[in-house]
Amino acid sequence: MSLGEPLTREPGLADRVAQHMTDRVLDGTLARGMRLPPERALAEEYGVSRTVIREAVRTLASRGLLETHGGSGIYVRRPDPMSAGASISLLMRLHHGDGAIRYEKVHEVRRVLEVEIATLAAKRAQPTDIEAMERQIERQRRGMSDREVYVTSDVAFHAALATATHNELFSALLDSIADIMTEVRQLGFNVPSAQESALAHHLRILENVKTGDAVGAARAMKDHLRDSQRILRQGLEIAAVGQGEAIA
């Protein structure tokens, strides 16, 4: 199997090899599950040292495109949308800054992302998708006084809505901010009537999805996000007061 013409030596050569191999994964030349030739053979094909190949393979493994099976070699993986989502989540935590600012940034993203999710879910949701959302709403209803149950079911409702778009990239993008949104919902749990308000919004979104009303679903999601921002700000205020009392 020939992967490419020998490459001229220069700084960053391992990056060039990694990019060439990435292109071959994306265009299907290197199919999922395929075993790569031995390191020595790859070095000969690319006209580089085995050290360069080793570095390129490490780069692709860190991106989730290759995986090493102990003793049997290196195999190709297809890009995983959820891995991409995990990378975004890590980026958010590396550059989180002030908590309130980070939450506001995520809320801006939600206004773009989740309104479109609601719109497409109303157009594409299948009976199994509706059932999944109904299960999470019922969990919310039963878990009003249980912080953990309520928060996890709230996150799961939005995840089920994303799944109903039948576009896995929406699920990956939403999953990338799931940890931060869990923090937001934890803060909101302390705001009076926040749970009842969120449940009412979810029911309205679901009703529009069930009837296939894309415009109504988008409007319901906008209302939900607007109220969620209000609840978050109140939750931050309550948390700040609690911290002040603890210090005193």
Side-chain angles (χ1 to χ4, degrees):
M1 176 180 63
S2 179
L3 297 180
E5 299 298 323
L7 301 176
T8 304
R9 288 183 181 277
E10 61 182 48
L13 186 55
D15 291 336
R16 294 184 61 207
V17 173
Q19 184 57 57
H20 187 271
M21 294 176 71
T22 297
D23 293 341
R24 299 292 73 78
V25 172
L26 296 177
D27 69 16
T29 302
L30 291 174
R32 181 176 184 177
M34 180 183 293
R35 180 183 177 183
L36 291 187
E39 190 178 272
R40 184 187 301 277
L42 287 174
E44 290 175 358
E45 289 195 16
Y46 279 108
V48 299
S49 70
R50 295 175 66 175
T51 300
V52 169
I53 293 299
R54 205 169 296 131
E55 184 178 343
V57 167
R58 278 199 299 267
T59 296
L60 296 186
S62 71
R63 296 174 184 170
L65 295 179
L66 297 179
E67 58 185 349
T68 301
H69 294 178
S72 65
I74 301 167
Y75 293 81
V76 178
R77 295 179 59 190
R78 280 291 185 182
D80 182 354
M82 292 305 171
S83 295
S87 297
I88 296 173
S89 180
L90 179 60
L91 179 65
M92 286 296 300
R93 296 203 170 276
L94 286 172
H95 302 284
H96 61 276
D98 177 76
I101 294 174
R102 175 163 55 117
Y103 296 144
E104 287 295 331
K105 287 182 177 180
V106 171
H107 186 78
E108 288 178 358
V109 172
R110 289 187 75 195
R111 283 203 301 265
V112 176
L113 181 63
E114 295 212 59
V115 171
E116 185 64 14
I117 283 174
T119 299
L120 292 177
K123 296 177 180 179
R124 301 174 181 175
Q126 301 299 309
T128 53
D129 299 319
I130 301 296
E131 291 170 5
M133 284 182 271
E134 288 177 335
R135 281 196 299 273
Q136 297 310 324
I137 283 181
E138 185 55 33
R139 283 184 65 207
Q140 279 185 277
R141 203 192 306 272
R142 294 197 309 267
M144 284 289 190
S145 60
D146 187 317
R147 181 189 297 267
E148 183 176 353
V149 172
Y150 186 85
V151 168
T152 56
S153 60
D154 190 324
V155 173
F157 171 79
H158 285 266
L161 190 65
T163 299
T165 67
H166 294 273
N167 180 338
E168 68 278 7
L169 295 180
F170 280 116
S171 293
L173 290 169
L174 193 63
D175 186 66
S176 72
I177 59 173
D179 287 349
I180 296 173
M181 292 316 304
T182 295
E183 294 175 13
V184 168
R185 289 169 173 101
Q186 291 280 4
L187 285 167
F189 192 85
N190 297 321
V191 176
S193 301
Q195 297 91 305
E196 291 81 1
S197 179
L199 180 60
H201 283 296
H202 288 175
L203 286 168
R204 184 177 163 216
I205 292 168
L206 178 58
E207 187 57 36
N208 281 284
V209 171
K210 290 171 71 173
T211 59
D213 184 350
V215 174
R219 186 183 304 114
M221 180 59 79
K222 288 178 183 177
D223 291 343
H224 179 29
L225 294 178
R226 191 179 302 112
D227 197 41
S228 294
Q229 189 172 33
R230 172 189 65 81
I231 290 171
L232 169 61
R233 288 170 178 168
Q234 287 185 244
L236 287 169
E237 291 173 2
I238 293 171
V241 171
Q243 289 175 354
E245 292 175 349
I247 293 174

